[in-house]
Amino acid sequence: PSNAQWGGRFAGGPAAIMQEINASIGFDRALWRQDIRGSLAHAAMLLKVGLLLPDEEQAIREGLHGIAVEIEEGRFRFDIALEDIHMNIEARLSERVGEPGKRLHTARSRNDQVATDFRLWVRDAIDGLDGQVAALMRSLARRAAEHAADPMPGFTHLQTAQPVTFGHHLLAYVEMLSRDRGRLADARRRLNECPLGSAALAGTSFPIDRRLTAELLGFDRPTANSLDAVSDRDFALEYLAALSILAMHLSRFAEEIVIWCSAPFGFIQLSDGFTTGSSIMPQKRNPDAAELTRAKGGRITGALVGLLTVMKGLPLAYAKDMQEDKEPVFDATDAATLCLAATDGMVRDMRARTDRMRALAGSGFSTATDLADWLVRALRLPFRTAHHVTGRLVAAAERKGVDLADLSLAEMQAEEPRITQELFGVLTVDASVASRRSEGGTAPERVAAQAAAWLERLGAA
Ligand code: ARG
């Protein structure tokens, strides 16, 4: 039998494989709430401009509410022959309410319908993720406040660089996540225009009121160009780009968690709730949630690259290729949702092994820069000269197999005769972090103030 929605022109129906490659109902049923919302707004607008009679609009409205209940309760029969969520719902509406249901598609096309539904869906997803990112920021800021004064080694090249505090390190991620929220909010602002009423590609001859539908759906305004409106997916790409950057941040943090809870580092211990054991090695506590968060970052970036590649060769306006826009967006959203929740769980539960961090914070000549700075401050050596003197002292300590603070004053003076006992005061880890009071620096009082400021901003003070 030919298709019920456009069968007029066809004598035969689609081949089974045609139906299979063509149908999107398997995944776009996720748009059902947005589709019903869009249809309710469209019907209300058709009523207002006189294209539907009051009883027709009422029948449509009640029918759509009834369908929502059917879907909610798992009683709706999704039919692959009806291709996608839009035609499944519309066909069921006509089944339920008859003639008025067949009037709903006046001045509308699936092209503006899907563009509208998808924007609504992405907007909802952004709102959900924004709350999750904020929650993770709160958890990080709380742990940062708790560890504002606990030193750990700071690294560059993953080589010991200078001591920092654990709280300072955690707050670095709060800053990144705050920018991620900004990017998502920015994408939301730009996507918040309503394509409905663009129809297939050229607009419509009916006297529709696009401002009304835009307003009913919470959009800021109607889109300005009908061709652009039905063929633009950069709102989805921008969303995926923001998600990819967010996922990259979560992945870097996950990588650090994996390193930190390895035995040689031992900076943190994850809770039992966020580790797995081994089927053969009884001692194991594996950080699987962190590893999977790291891996899903790749998957999310894959979604971005996949959709960019789908879109890059399409002439205006709509092409069926664009039906492939949804799965990457749905999948990336699921992945990001999971990663955020898992990261939040790990952060809340992890135990910081502050004694271990403190011990390692002082190893690897981590206060060599403090020594050089002292030579500049106390003896007014030019920094380059101080760097050189310190380098020779590090080499001397290394030859002896001791830390800088274990060299005697005489050994120090062998390299620079004007060095005094006072120098030893700057070589401790606590003195080192305490001295870094510059704005944005790692001094405990700075970190405590930053953590408090974030908790205040996040409404968690
Ligand atoms: N299922 C389609 C999609 O997701 C809806 C739009 C179909 N439009 C068309 N002209 N075939 O893109």
Side-chain angles (χ1 to χ4, degrees):
S2 61
N3 186 300
Q5 311 299 308
W6 56 64
R9 194 215 183 288
F10 288 76
I17 196 68
M18 175 63 200
Q19 192 166 313
E20 200 178 323
I21 194 173
N22 202 34
S24 53
I25 189 61
F27 50 87
D28 70 11
R29 63 176 70 183
L31 297 175
W32 72 266
R33 285 175 204 281
Q34 290 77 14
D35 196 67
I36 287 177
R37 223 183 137 192
S39 288
L40 286 168
H42 186 63
M45 183 277 290
L46 292 179
L47 169 68
K48 176 176 170 231
V49 302
L51 288 165
L52 282 177
L53 301 172
D55 58 321
E56 292 170 332
E57 190 271 343
Q58 188 185 348
I60 289 171
R61 192 165 9 98
E62 288 172 4
L64 288 169
H65 284 305
I67 289 171
V69 174
E70 287 177 21
I71 298 177
E72 203 97 70
E73 293 178 354
R75 286 187 287 115
F76 190 92
R77 256 196 69 251
F78 293 100
D79 184 357
I80 189 182
L82 290 165
E83 214 182 299
D84 57 25
I85 188 62
H86 323 294
M87 292 203 295
N88 266 270
I89 289 178
E90 192 193 316
R92 179 68 185 126
L93 181 67
S94 298
E95 228 173 75
R96 283 182 65 125
V97 309
E99 187 90 358
K102 299 186 185 179
R103 293 186 189 277
L104 178 59
H105 214 51
T106 310
R108 178 175 88 168
S109 152
R110 273 188 299 157
N111 295 347
D112 59 339
Q113 198 179 348
V114 72
T116 304
D117 292 2
F118 201 27
R119 281 181 192 240
L120 288 172
W121 193 94
V122 172
R123 198 176 73 184
D124 290 343
I126 288 175
D127 293 343
L129 290 168
D130 180 68
Q132 277 195 288
V133 178
L136 174 56
M137 289 169 68
R138 275 192 286 275
S139 298
L140 285 164
R142 283 202 187 98
R143 300 308 306 258
E146 188 186 328
H147 296 291
D150 287 323
M152 71 179 275
F155 300 97
T156 61
H157 314 264
L158 200 58
Q159 306 291 314
T160 302
Q162 294 171 359
V164 295
T165 75
F166 189 45
H168 193 53
H169 197 115
L170 294 178
L171 285 181
Y173 284 99
V174 175
E175 296 290 334
M176 295 175 229
L177 292 171
S178 159
R179 292 192 296 275
D180 289 321
R181 279 183 90 187
R183 268 180 286 272
L184 285 170
D186 209 28
R188 189 193 197 282
R189 210 171 303 121
R190 231 180 326 274
L191 76 68
N192 208 30
E193 295 186 343
C194 187
L196 208 57
S198 301
L201 74 165
T204 177
S205 59
F206 292 107
I208 57 172
D209 181 350
R210 294 193 59 211
R211 279 172 204 284
L212 176 59
T213 35
E215 194 190 314
L216 289 173
L217 294 171
F219 287 111
D220 295 330
R221 64 192 77 84
T223 51
N225 180 302
S226 61
L227 286 166
D228 174 48
V230 294
S231 61
D232 150 48
R233 291 294 180 271
D234 53 55
F235 67 89
L237 291 167
E238 200 173 339
Y239 167 66
L240 287 175
L243 272 199
S244 297
I245 297 174
L246 164 65
M248 175 273 292
H249 290 148
L250 295 179
S251 177
R252 292 184 77 175
F253 188 47
E255 166 70 2
E256 297 204 303
I257 289 176
V258 169
I259 292 173
W260 290 346
C261 67
S262 69
F265 275 77
F267 288 180
I268 60 167
Q269 186 171 46
L270 293 175
S271 68
D272 288 358
F274 285 93
T275 39
T276 60
S278 155
S279 57
I280 170 171
M281 296 166 282
Q283 85 283 12
K284 284 285 229 168
R285 292 173 68 83
N286 291 327
D288 294 35
E291 294 165 88
L292 286 163
T293 296
R294 195 172 56 186
K296 283 183 196 295
R299 186 160 162 171
I300 291 168
T301 307
L304 169 63
V305 176
L307 183 55
L308 270 176
T309 312
V310 166
M311 294 303 299
K312 65 176 263 310
L314 301 184
L316 302 190
Y318 179 85
K320 196 62 173 253
D321 308 51
M322 290 164 65
Q323 179 165 282
E324 295 280 314
D325 59 359
K326 290 166 208 67
E327 287 161 293
V329 167
F330 294 162
D331 186 72
T333 304
D334 287 346
T337 302
L338 265 175
C339 291
L340 284 164
T343 305
D344 191 42
M346 288 188 283
V347 169
R348 284 156 170 273
D349 286 11
M350 73 187 174
R351 189 169 71 80
R353 298 175 60 186
T354 49
D355 47 340
R356 177 82 187 145
M357 287 192 213
R358 171 178 284 280
L360 284 168
S363 73
F365 309 108
S366 65
T367 54
T369 314
D370 298 271
L371 196 161
D373 288 353
W374 184 90
L375 297 173
V376 172
R377 235 182 4 255
L379 308 182
R380 233 186 147 274
L381 291 193
F383 184 77
R384 272 297 143 234
T385 312
H387 186 291
H388 199 78
V389 170
T390 308
R392 287 208 307 270
L393 288 169
V394 167
E398 200 166 40
R399 271 195 307 277
K400 258 189 97 181
V402 298
D403 285 338
L404 280 171
D406 300 324
L407 291 176
S408 68
L409 183 57
E411 283 166 326
M412 294 271 191
Q413 287 171 339
E415 295 299 343
E416 169 50 61
R418 287 175 297 158
I419 288 179
T420 67
Q421 193 62 39
E422 185 196 277
L423 166 69
F424 289 89
V426 305
L427 295 182
T428 69
V429 162
D430 286 306
S432 173
V433 292
S435 71
R436 288 185 165 65
R437 281 186 212 94
S438 56
E439 193 171 340
T442 200
E445 80 236 39
R446 283 279 187 194
V447 176
Q450 280 292 313
W454 272 117
L455 288 170
E456 175 84 40
R457 275 166 76 179
L458 294 162

